[in-house]
């Protein structure tokens, strides 16, 4: 590591108990609004999103998730040069590149997800502290009962987000991510790679149809997808019968829709402002022979396959569609989403006829 790297203490230890979706993402939005957010605290998060684009840095970022009493951690080396984007390197040799237009993803926030955060939680200041050997301002997202649901450490000098936690209803972190080392002096620029990022071909689990997606991991998955769909594109897919729910359990709201190059699977991004969930929707039927090693749950006539690792997976199917859910949040979140995706139990033509006009008239969810 070059520059003036500072090492952070990485949260360690095990957290006990399974986490219900309602315990993680709970509360009445109206009651949260009555708590009122602090405009200065919200402003700090907006500034952090801007800092992610304008501040040069090099460091190591980690992601730790917990489920039951087990934890899993991933770490990558990152380099950001304003105007050039972010480069990622993992210890396993994987590498990736995120363009400058997506650099704000370092904070985990966009204008849309910040709006969801302030709608579902009260955003307030916490006591200032230090992390990574640097003075930091602390911002908390609180539930209606006043308990913290998320906590963010923002560098006092640059505004960059250094550390963030998603906290369950018992007060335990379930997702922790941030820098374990950081330097604000970066090496000389390197040429931007022309070739696609390293990686293999990923075919969605259990899928009987659909082209594979080239990816080098979660950090570069965005590069495997086409441009974001606007309201007309979303309405067009819905009018052709694609199940693209606007809201999922836990107040998870659709904020981004992309389609795989070549017109294959559709990538739906949901958030309540804190938790993030990806749902990949593709035409076809679930090939159960491809689910060996996955755990099977049957509830209310719905079958869901699940797998737990650093990220949580859940797969279900409706009539003519397969849903693959991926999230950092607890497994209960992934399962609840997969369980509640449209089942497509009605004949395709009837569903299309009844819903086409209403779906085509929907407002652009990105406005």
């Amino acid at each position: 590591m070059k520059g003036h790297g500072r090492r952070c203490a990485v949260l360690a230890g095990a957290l006990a108990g399974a986490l219900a979706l309602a315990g993680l993402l709970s509360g009445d939005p109206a009651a949260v609004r009555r708590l009122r957010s602090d405009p200065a605290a919200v402003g700090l998060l907006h500034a952090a999103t801007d800092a992610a684009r304008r501040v040069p840095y090099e460091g190591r970022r980690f992601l730790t998730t917990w489920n039951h009493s087990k934890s899993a951690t991933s770490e990558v080396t990152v380099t950001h040069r304003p105007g050039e984007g972010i480069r990622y390197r993992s210890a396993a040799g994987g590498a990736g590149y995120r363009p400058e237009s997506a650099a704000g993803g370092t904070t985990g926030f966009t204008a849309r997800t910040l709006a969801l955060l302030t709608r579902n939680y009260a955003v307030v200041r916490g006591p200032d502290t230090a992390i990574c050997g640097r003075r930091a301002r602390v911002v908390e997202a609180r539930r209606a009962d006043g308990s913290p649901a998320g906590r963010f450490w923002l560098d006092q000098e640059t505004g960059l987000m250094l550390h963030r936690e998603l906290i369950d209803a018992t007060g335990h972190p379930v997702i922790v991510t941030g820098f374990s080392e950081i330097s604000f002096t970066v090496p000389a620029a390197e040429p931007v790679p022309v070739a696609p990022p390293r990686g293999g071909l990923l075919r969605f689990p259990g899928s009987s149809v659909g082209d594979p997606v080239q990816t080098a991991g979660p950090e570069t998955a965005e590069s495997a997808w086409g441009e974001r769909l606007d309201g007309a594109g979303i309405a067009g897919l819905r009018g052709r019968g694609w199940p693209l729910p606007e809201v999922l359990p836990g107040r998870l709201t659709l904020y981004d829709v992309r389609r795989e190059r070549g017109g294959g699977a559709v990538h739906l991004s949901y958030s309540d402002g804190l938790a993030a969930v990806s749902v990949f929707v593709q035409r076809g039927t679930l090939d159960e022979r491809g689910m060996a090693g996955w755990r099977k749950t049957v509830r209310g006539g719905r079958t869901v396959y699940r797998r737990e690792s650093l990220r949580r997976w859940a797969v279900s199917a409706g009539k003519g569609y397969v849903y693959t859910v991926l999230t950092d949040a607890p497994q209960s979140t992934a399962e609840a989403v997969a369980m509640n995706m449209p089942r497509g139990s009605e004949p395709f033509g009837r569903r299309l006829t009844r819903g086409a006009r209403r779906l085509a008239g929907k407002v652009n969810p990105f406005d």
Side-chain angles (χ1 to χ4, degrees):
M1 169 66 62
K2 299 180 180 180
H4 308 291
R6 297 179 174 89
R7 183 155 308 264
C8 305
V10 179
L11 184 63
L15 300 178
L19 300 169
L21 176 68
L24 176 64
L25 306 172
S26 61
D28 172 17
V32 171
R33 285 194 291 272
R34 289 196 293 272
L35 288 177
R36 295 180 182 275
S37 291
D38 175 5
V42 177
L44 288 174
L45 294 182
H46 279 287
T49 300
D50 176 67
R53 293 182 171 87
R54 63 175 175 77
V55 175
Y57 58 81
E58 182 182 36
R60 295 189 67 82
R61 287 185 59 84
F62 71 93
L63 168 68
T64 299
T65 62
W66 280 268
N67 203 54
H68 303 283
S69 60
K70 298 180 180 180
S71 66
T73 298
S74 174
E75 192 172 40
V76 295
T77 299
V78 296
T79 302
H80 175 236
R81 301 180 186 86
E84 297 181 22
I86 303 175
R87 296 176 184 273
Y88 298 84
R89 299 190 305 276
S90 70
Y97 169 77
R98 174 173 289 180
E100 186 66 33
S101 61
T106 301
T107 68
F109 286 116
T110 64
R112 176 66 168 150
T113 55
L114 270 176
L116 291 172
L117 181 71
T118 56
R119 187 177 80 184
N120 292 313
Y121 301 93
V123 178
V124 298
R125 285 290 306 275
D128 290 353
T129 185
I131 198 165
C132 288
R134 299 184 63 84
R135 294 183 62 82
R137 297 184 174 95
V138 176
V139 173
E140 291 186 349
R142 294 182 180 171
R143 301 181 180 89
D145 62 4
S147 64
R151 190 173 289 123
F152 316 95
W153 286 256
L154 313 174
D155 184 54
Q156 185 170 298
E157 180 181 351
T158 66
L160 188 71
M161 187 175 293
L162 300 175
H163 194 90
R164 60 179 293 178
E165 295 178 350
L166 179 62
I167 304 167
D168 73 1
T170 68
H172 293 122
V174 291
I175 303 172
V176 180
T177 184
F179 290 96
S180 57
E181 301 176 10
I182 188 167
S183 166
F184 292 101
T185 301
V186 298
E190 302 174 8
V192 175
V194 176
R198 293 177 55 188
L201 293 178
L202 169 66
R203 190 177 294 279
F204 295 116
S207 172
S208 62
V209 297
D211 294 330
V213 179
Q214 183 168 333
T215 176
E219 294 83 5
T220 56
E222 182 181 13
S223 65
W225 297 86
E227 293 297 317
R228 185 177 68 184
L229 298 183
D230 59 13
I234 296 168
L237 285 178
R238 285 173 168 159
R240 293 194 295 275
W242 282 80
L244 313 179
E246 193 71 26
V247 179
L248 292 175
R251 305 193 307 275
L252 293 167
T253 301
L254 181 67
Y255 72 90
D256 190 76
V257 180
R258 296 174 188 269
R259 191 163 196 190
E260 181 187 358
R261 292 192 178 99
V266 177
H267 178 196
L268 309 177
S269 296
Y270 293 87
S271 179
D272 70 336
L274 288 177
V277 176
S278 286
V279 180
F280 300 91
V281 183
Q282 59 184 159
R283 288 187 182 274
T285 57
L286 184 61
D287 182 4
E288 297 192 1
R289 295 171 300 177
M291 307 308 296
W294 291 61
R295 294 188 175 185
K296 181 178 179 179
T297 299
V298 180
R299 190 185 309 152
R302 188 75 180 263
T303 300
V304 173
Y305 288 89
R306 66 189 190 278
R307 187 176 69 189
E308 303 174 31
S309 54
L310 177 69
R311 291 173 169 84
R312 322 303 182 200
W313 294 80
V315 178
S316 66
K319 192 171 184 179
Y321 292 92
V322 177
Y323 309 108
T324 303
V325 181
L326 177 63
T327 180
D328 298 336
Q331 187 66 38
S332 55
T333 301
E335 289 182 41
V337 170
M339 194 70 68
N340 284 275
M341 291 301 292
R343 301 193 184 202
S345 57
E346 296 178 343
F348 177 80
R350 186 184 306 168
R351 184 174 65 249
L352 177 63
T353 300
R354 188 174 66 229
R357 291 190 181 88
R358 177 177 59 83
L359 293 173
K362 273 190 173 293
V363 177
N364 184 345
F366 306 117
D367 285 344

